Amino acid sequence: MNAEVDYIIVGLGLSGIAFTEQLIKNNKSFIVFENNSQVSSVVAGGVYNPVILKRFTPVWNGHEQLQKAIPFYKELEEKLQLTLDYKFSTKKVFTSVGDENNWFIAYDKPMLSYYMNPEISKERIKGIIGDYGFGELKGTGRIDTPLLVKTYKEYIKSLKSLVKEAFDYSKVKIEKEIVTYEDITAKRIVFSEGFGLKKNPFFNYLPLNGTKGETITIHAPELKIDFLLKGSVFIMPLGNDTYKIGATFNWTDKTSIPTEEGRKELEDKLQKVISVPYTIIEQSAGIRPTVKDRRPLVGKHPKYPKLAVLNGLGTRGVMVAPTVAENLFNHLESNEELDKEIDIERFRQE
Ligand SMILES: Cc1cc2nc3c(=O)[nH]c(=O)nc-3n(C[C@H](O)[C@H](O)[C@H](O)COP(=O)(O)OP(=O)(O)OC[C@H]3O[C@@H](n4cnc5c(N)ncnc54)[C@H](O)[C@@H]3O)c2cc1C
């Protein structure tokens, strides 16, 4: 492909999509490389929820990120002519009286009261095991990330800007004002390869550890819930009596292959939360791009400023991607400073 563009983007998961949208809005030209080697954005639950339900604490910058993310996905819905955002409430299954007390304590924190319903529900929900009641969150939901990734790829293909190949790092030539890759000349390259970053010789010094996650999808016709239920696993309604159950956290296995252990762990936990029959219709796995200090990896290469990275979206890519993509774009184009917490400068090696 002979071309002269502003940007080459490597990877079209949630981070690559969010950055490409910045380029389109700002009339920048680009080419995207994508080889389907990572699937985190495709297998993700897609849940957005700015409250950590394990500890009843706010997600780092979660409220602000969500204010940007909701309109971002709405614009994509309009542009791509599909439904991506399914809004539902989230119910936390309490397992002790202590949970109930902690819920009230958390409600007094400013950001949390925005999402938490102060009343504890003691209702019996058919098919759900729960003796201590439920706490409810408002303003949560899910983005249909598999549909988004698939449709967005087709859209980029229709713009004749998609190269369905593995980006070969050894072909990058860095000159003073430009970078080249075979016949392509660009002003910058943005790497958004998720866990694929491990193979990137320019940025694999960054502490991206990666956490494998597995989910199962079940058919459970007697389970009639239209909210996300959060116990030791989440049970998320997908429609037509199907539910996504997730997710596992595995820090050693770095493959995207579903396992017997993963399925068993999810089923064992699921059976402690529901009391109705189900059948498993799908199982999937992927590697979350998680970072040692749980903050995104954003910024220019310390030695080659024409190369930049957008990664480390961790367990909450849906909420954080639009914000960090905008931060990176403004940093590259307008020299705006990056938040120290996301800037890869924090890992600079002398
Ligand atoms: C089981 C599971 C459940 C999850 N649930 C949620 C959830 O409910 N909510 C939430 O917000 N987040 C969730 N996540 C996390 C979320 O998936 C990630 O934060 C996010 O999708 C990461 O996006 P990304 O674009 O950085 O990486 P990826 O989605 O991994 O995308 C990187 C892309 O780069 C491509 N690529 C890599 N190397 C190359 C190369 N050399 N050449 C060409 N292309 C390349 C890959 O093929 C891939 O498409 C979950 C993750 C998992 C695994």
Side-chain angles (χ1 to χ4, degrees):
M1 185 187 267
N2 194 328
E4 209 171 292
V5 289
D6 292 316
Y7 282 83
I8 294 172
I9 301 172
V10 183
L12 201 56
L14 289 176
S15 56
I17 291 173
F19 193 77
T20 307
E21 279 297 287
Q22 285 293 324
L23 297 183
I24 292 172
K25 266 189 212 148
N26 291 284
N27 290 318
K28 301 286 178 193
S29 54
F30 59 87
I31 279 173
V32 184
F33 282 76
E34 171 55 57
N35 71 341
N36 300 325
S37 55
Q38 292 294 326
V39 290
S40 190
S41 301
V42 180
V43 303
V47 176
Y48 56 84
N49 167 14
V51 183
I52 301 172
L53 281 171
K54 219 186 220 171
R55 296 186 283 275
F56 302 143
T57 51
V59 169
W60 169 76
N61 287 351
H63 182 62
E64 295 75 12
Q65 288 164 6
L66 206 49
Q67 305 306 309
K68 212 171 264 300
I70 297 295
F72 172 81
Y73 295 109
K74 192 168 173 45
E75 273 175 34
L76 279 173
E77 283 183 327
E78 282 159 14
K79 170 166 159 169
L80 304 171
Q81 290 292 300
L82 40 76
T83 303
L84 295 171
D85 186 359
Y86 293 85
K87 297 181 191 301
F88 45 61
S89 65
T90 295
K91 290 192 184 181
K92 160 82 179 166
V93 184
F94 291 158
T95 52
S96 67
V97 181
D99 274 350
E100 206 173 301
N101 293 338
N102 290 337
W103 186 266
F104 289 128
I105 294 167
Y107 182 77
D108 285 336
K109 295 181 190 153
M111 197 287 279
L112 294 184
S113 56
Y114 193 86
Y115 296 97
M116 293 170 82
N117 185 340
E119 280 155 39
I120 300 243
S121 157
K122 295 282 185 183
E123 66 184 319
R124 287 264 155 210
I125 304 171
K126 189 176 172 286
I128 305 293
I129 303 163
D131 294 330
Y132 293 92
F134 305 91
E136 190 190 32
L137 292 179
K138 304 163 282 182
T140 58
R142 88 170 156 101
I143 299 299
D144 188 341
T145 57
L147 182 64
L148 171 59
V149 171
K150 181 171 169 275
T151 316
Y152 203 83
K153 217 178 279 173
E154 283 162 14
Y155 164 62
I156 297 301
K157 193 174 160 206
S158 76
L159 300 178
K160 302 207 175 353
S161 298
L162 183 66
V163 181
K164 285 200 252 173
E165 276 172 29
F167 186 84
D168 181 349
Y169 304 94
S170 68
K171 291 182 177 163
V172 175
K173 291 205 174 70
I174 304 164
E175 292 169 30
K176 204 161 174 233
E177 297 297 328
I178 51 157
V179 273
T180 64
Y181 181 96
E182 295 186 318
D183 292 347
I184 306 169
T185 305
K187 291 188 187 136
R188 294 184 192 279
I189 305 179
V190 169
F191 293 103
S192 48
E193 313 108 314
F195 192 65
L197 182 90
K198 286 286 172 204
K199 293 193 179 145
N200 181 330
F202 301 106
F203 287 105
N204 64 5
Y205 71 92
L206 294 169
L208 184 81
N209 46 24
T211 312
K212 181 171 182 173
E214 298 194 47
T215 63
I216 52 175
T217 304
I218 61 165
H219 181 240
E222 289 176 43
L223 192 67
K224 299 286 179 200
I225 62 171
D226 58 2
F227 49 84
L228 184 143
L229 189 84
K230 182 78 179 80
S232 52
V233 282
F234 68 72
I235 301 176
M236 184 173 74
L238 296 174
N240 299 322
D241 296 327
T242 62
Y243 299 87
K244 190 164 224 169
I245 316 297
T248 61
F249 285 80
N250 183 321
W251 291 268
T252 47
D253 180 356
K254 304 296 185 194
T255 72
S256 298
I257 302 164
T259 63
E260 188 61 26
E261 300 93 276
R263 182 196 55 73
K264 190 168 178 318
E265 179 186 329
L266 291 170
E267 279 208 82
D268 286 348
K269 288 182 175 167
L270 176 65
Q271 284 160 11
K272 293 198 176 87
V273 190
I274 68 168
S275 57
V276 288
Y278 63 86
T279 46
I280 297 179
I281 53 177
E282 201 188 323
Q283 183 179 357
S284 53
I287 314 285
R288 304 171 184 92
T290 49
V291 184
K292 202 172 73 178
D293 67 358
R294 297 176 185 214
R295 294 291 177 263
L297 298 169
V298 183
K300 289 181 212 162
H301 190 277
K303 192 162 162 211
Y304 308 113
K306 301 267 154 225
L307 310 183
V309 66
L310 185 62
N311 210 310
L313 269 49
T315 56
R316 294 193 174 78
V318 165
M319 289 204 314
V320 74
T323 297
V324 291
E326 188 178 295
N327 292 158
L328 179 62
F329 182 81
N330 292 341
H331 178 61
L332 297 177
E333 292 290 331
S334 318
N335 226 358
E336 231 172 63
E337 241 184 81
L338 286 172
D339 177 350
K340 297 253 175 309
E341 281 194 271
I342 65 169
D343 193 340
I344 56 166
E345 269 295 301
R346 70 194 191 279
F347 299 117
R348 185 188 266 266
Q349 293 168 328
E350 294 313 323

